[in-house]
Amino acid sequence: TIPPAVVPSDLTALPLSTTYTVVDGAPLDTRPPDPTDGTVVHPRREVVVYAAPGGAPIARMTPQQLGDTWLPVIAAQPGWVQVLLPSRPNNSVGWLTDDALDRAVTPYLIRVHLRSLNMELFWGDRRLGQWPVGIGKKSAPTPVGRTFLLGSFTDPKQSYSPVILPLGTHSPTLDSFGGGPGTVAIHTWPTADVFGTQSSDGCIRVPAAALNMLTEVPLGTLVLIDEN
């Protein structure tokens, strides 16, 4: 049997799991970048993140970050779900108790192939689109692994993309860029010569037609970045 969750007496002693933070002691997702069944969860209130079911508390997760917090479920046990986290280190995962979570299922899946410099968007088994993309240069590569759509926002201080879609992963070589914490994002670019090249600081630059479709994709949707 799984031991019950231990709720710390002082939640504020736990770090928040956000794109701006590091969660020491978080397990890593060591599995291949495979799809899930599309289940995503949203905490209705601040919840504790655990290293394992009934294990040590490692962080807090809030209902909102860059929009509502939706996290992809990659494993489950009775009363518990394992999710991808938005914090460093990359590929961090944690366990949540399922008593304060809203559940949904997204049929979408985003695949980014680094060697072939292209992106695919799927609805179930049906491919909705495929586009050439720009990825991180060799000194600041786009990280490989399973991540997810963390948020969606507009930034009037920049003109390169009408909408920016941050992911739950970070540059492995840069601590910051663009005034942020090195968060990898999907966005457009003013010139098409970047598509099909390794030219960014880790972000994934996509054509406008791709961004238009991706802005309809729910937060929490899995993004699989591989070496193919």
Side-chain angles (χ1 to χ4, degrees):
T1 60
I2 298 171
V6 176
V7 179
S9 57
D10 181 12
L11 289 180
T12 61
L14 294 173
L16 287 170
S17 177
T18 76
T19 193
Y20 296 94
T21 62
V22 177
V23 175
D24 294 321
L28 299 182
D29 179 21
T30 57
R31 283 161 286 188
D34 292 331
T36 65
D37 65 0
T39 300
V40 293
V41 293
H42 164 69
R44 293 192 294 272
R45 54 173 171 78
E46 188 174 278
V47 297
V48 178
V49 183
Y50 296 86
I58 56 173
R60 294 174 287 146
M61 184 66 65
T62 55
Q64 289 195 315
Q65 298 191 22
L66 303 171
D68 287 342
T69 302
W70 285 95
L71 306 168
V73 173
I74 60 171
Q77 293 190 20
W80 295 82
V81 293
Q82 188 182 37
V83 297
L84 298 178
L85 300 179
S87 39
R88 291 181 187 261
N90 282 349
N91 308 119
S92 292
V93 300
W95 289 86
L96 310 175
T97 59
D98 64 4
D99 55 350
L101 303 177
D102 293 327
R103 288 179 179 246
V105 176
T106 168
Y108 290 96
L109 175 66
I110 300 166
R111 289 184 177 271
V112 180
H113 308 296
L114 299 182
R115 188 175 296 113
S116 54
L117 297 159
N118 77 83
M119 170 187 284
E120 300 175 287
L121 175 62
F122 290 89
W123 171 289
D125 293 331
R126 183 162 63 96
R127 189 169 68 185
L128 300 179
Q130 180 178 20
W131 306 272
V133 297
I135 63 169
K137 51 187 177 250
K138 291 184 178 179
S139 61
T142 301
V144 174
R146 298 199 284 191
T147 185
F148 60 100
L149 283 184
L150 175 61
S152 174
F153 68 93
T154 57
D155 178 6
K157 293 181 289 187
Q158 56 78 29
S159 58
Y160 58 82
S161 189
V163 178
I164 297 171
L165 303 174
L167 306 180
T169 192
H170 301 79
S171 168
T173 58
L174 300 174
D175 291 331
S176 65
F177 47 71
T183 306
V184 172
I186 299 173
H187 56 72
T188 54
W189 199 250
T191 58
D193 57 343
V194 301
F195 304 134
T197 70
Q198 295 173 279
S199 53
S200 78
D201 284 334
C203 285
I204 301 161
R205 298 168 172 174
V206 302
L211 188 72
N212 289 340
M213 295 186 73
L214 292 171
T215 54
E216 301 299 318
V217 174
L219 298 185
T221 292
L222 202 63
V223 179
L224 303 182
I225 305 174
D226 63 42
E227 296 278 13
N228 297 333

